[in-house]
Amino acid sequence: MIKFRVLAAVAAVAALTLSACGGSDSGNSTPNAAPTDRVLHLSFLQDPGQPPDPDIFYAGQGLLLTTNTYEGLLQYKAGTDKPELEPLLATEWTASPDNRVFTFKLREGVTFHDGTPFTSAAVKASFDRRLAVDQGPAYMVKDVESVTTQGDYDVTITLKAPNSAFLDYLACPYGPRMLSPEGLTKNAGSDNAQSYLTNHDLGTGPYVLTAAEVGSRYSLEAYPEYWGTKPYFEKVEIPVITDVSAQQLQFDNGQLAAILHDLPSSAVQSYLDNDAYAHYSLPTMMSNYLYVNPHKGMLTDVNNRKALLQAVNVDELVKQTYFGRGEIAGQLYPANMIADDLATQSLTHDPSVLSGIAGGLPADQKAVTIGYDSSNPDNQLISNLIQTQLAAAGLTAQVQSYPTSQIYEWIGGDGMAAPEVLTLLAWPDAPSPYTWGHISWDPDGGLNYLGCSAPPITAALTRGLETGDAQAFSEAAAAAADTGCWLNVANVNDFVVAQPWLKGVEEAHTVTNPNSLRLAALSVG
């Protein structure tokens, strides 16, 4: 696998809100009144930061665009708390016993937004294009040996080696999307149509991208020839609004239909207590992780790392930060990924262990820095709470914020530029445990920020990738826990508040797609 999307920090940056207003003057809408013009007004708290090109986009803010304009062969069911595959542009599929050969029967009667019919030729063209662009999500097709078409509506994909995660790749929000072969050829330019897809799309989804003005606004329109259920909302307007307080005020005034995620803790309780609005705590695969640096000071000793983790009062962190939208994590993997009795965390809260160690350390060995992504107020709160807990156990702890770009720079380094402890919100690319274990715990993983690993982790993950054996993935988690480098603090839901007239929120939410909704499932009532 190649360069990975750095999920945690980018995800923490993201904060989307759905909004709607009756008529074109959004400033004069009536609180709690449903829109009458079938225009859904959305807002991005920050610009997506990457073009809505499905072979490039690998972040959090902006997932709403790519998942509503493009479609893949498979997807995960919406409205469930566990990932469950279902047909999308493929209506049937089979996998060989060795997870190397996959066959698909394609949906007929589908057209791309440029009018090109969807056929098996598009599968090969789309896979080839992802490899040619060679950005973060390219690893999902890197091991494809061949794409063979059998007429217009049958295709066989053969891999170079067994991969039990391949169907997960095809269905996940960052997986291969189908693009119009004719559109790719016509708009290829010198960069495989990358320039064209910064402000156009070549997908089959229910919506067409009609504007992408970086830092300013994005917009969608319903595709009139869409093969599936036609969306209720005919247009979607998404300005970039960088003030979260202004978004909350507009929601309270009835100008916004919903706030989808990343409400600060201070706002969650107020909405839980207010019967004027609907609220939802929707299951995701997001988790808040604590990373421990094995390369610095007292933490070069595995027993010291484990003692530090034992000194963290997880119950207190979750109660003060994620009430109403999260719970204490019982497994090292993210939520809803592996059976409840596997990969369990068994760390007992006991600050006395760290106190005993700290009492024998020289002063310079007692100092630790707790880092967090500067864009995430919840992780700032968690870091402050951990600071207090570690100080009570005898360490001199300070809290430091770091920009996302700086956190990226630690990956693949020696850990000396990074803090001793790091807190981040993260989610996996796809539901297969391999997609989390490899990128987080392997030495070449794209989310292994602080460079911790061990050979038993890699061996167990390799076995799991070939066979899909859940026990192998559980063994990988146990080996990761033995390093003392990771603690899953909380499983975090998408906390959504909505006006009472916005219908279909739960049905539009997918456990694998955080911070986003399937807009075609929304309506008014």
Side-chain angles (χ1 to χ4, degrees), residues 337-424:
M337 174 169 279
I338 196 167
D340 293 342
D341 61 336
L342 299 175
T344 56
Q345 295 183 139
S346 57
L347 205 62
T348 302
H349 176 231
D350 184 2
S352 68
V353 180
L354 181 59
S355 295
I357 294 172
L361 293 175
D364 63 335
Q365 289 286 300
K366 295 181 181 181
V368 297
T369 298
I370 304 161
Y372 70 94
D373 188 292
S374 59
S375 65
N376 193 314
D378 287 334
N379 270 321
Q380 180 181 12
L381 174 58
I382 283 179
S383 297
N384 288 337
L385 292 170
I386 293 174
Q387 177 190 34
T388 301
Q389 294 172 7
L390 296 185
L395 296 186
T396 304
Q398 66 173 355
V399 173
Q400 175 68 49
S401 66
Y402 297 90
T404 302
S405 58
Q406 188 171 353
I407 294 173
Y408 293 173
E409 292 171 359
W410 301 333
I411 299 170
D414 61 8
M416 299 309 293
E420 284 78 9
V421 180
L422 179 66
T423 64
L424 286 174

Side-chain angles (χ1 to χ4, degrees), residues 129 181-196 202:
R129 197 260 178 174
E182 291 188 17
L184 289 175
T185 299
K186 179 180 177 181
N187 302 286
S190 60
D191 61 1
N192 295 295
Q194 291 182 63
S195 296
Y196 180 77
L202 290 170

Side-chain angles (χ1 to χ4, degrees), residues 159-248:
L159 307 183
K160 299 173 185 176
N163 188 330
S164 64
F166 187 66
L167 292 177
D168 289 308
Y169 292 169
L170 297 185
C172 78
Y174 302 99
R177 308 293 92 174
M178 296 298 102
L179 294 89
S180 165
E182 291 188 17
L184 289 175
T185 299
K186 179 180 177 181
N187 302 286
S190 60
D191 61 1
N192 295 295
Q194 291 182 63
S195 296
Y196 180 77
L197 292 182
T198 58
N199 50 21
H200 300 83
D201 82 87
L202 290 170
T204 61
Y207 285 93
V208 176
L209 182 70
T210 53
E213 301 169 12
V214 176
S216 177
R217 62 181 284 267
Y218 297 81
S219 63
L220 306 171
E221 289 187 7
Y223 178 46
E225 304 303 320
Y226 183 57
W227 62 268
T229 302
K230 303 299 187 291
Y232 172 84
F233 291 104
E234 297 172 353
K235 294 184 179 181
V236 186
E237 293 292 337
I238 317 173
V240 178
I241 303 173
T242 58
D243 188 336
V244 67
S245 297
Q247 289 185 328
Q248 291 180 44

Side-chain angles (χ1 to χ4, degrees), residues 90-120:
T91 58
E92 300 175 21
W93 66 92
T94 63
S96 65
D98 65 353
N99 293 307
R100 280 197 65 228
V101 181
F102 300 83
T103 64
F104 301 90
K105 183 170 289 293
L106 305 183
R107 189 178 299 278
E108 300 184 30
V110 177
T111 60
F112 289 96
H113 296 160
D114 66 353
T116 302
F118 168 67
T119 67
S120 57

Side-chain angles (χ1 to χ4, degrees), residues 310-324:
Q310 282 185 277
V312 176
N313 188 335
V314 172
D315 183 65
E316 190 67 22
L317 299 184
V318 175
K319 283 181 178 178
Q320 294 201 39
T321 309
Y322 289 117
F323 52 84

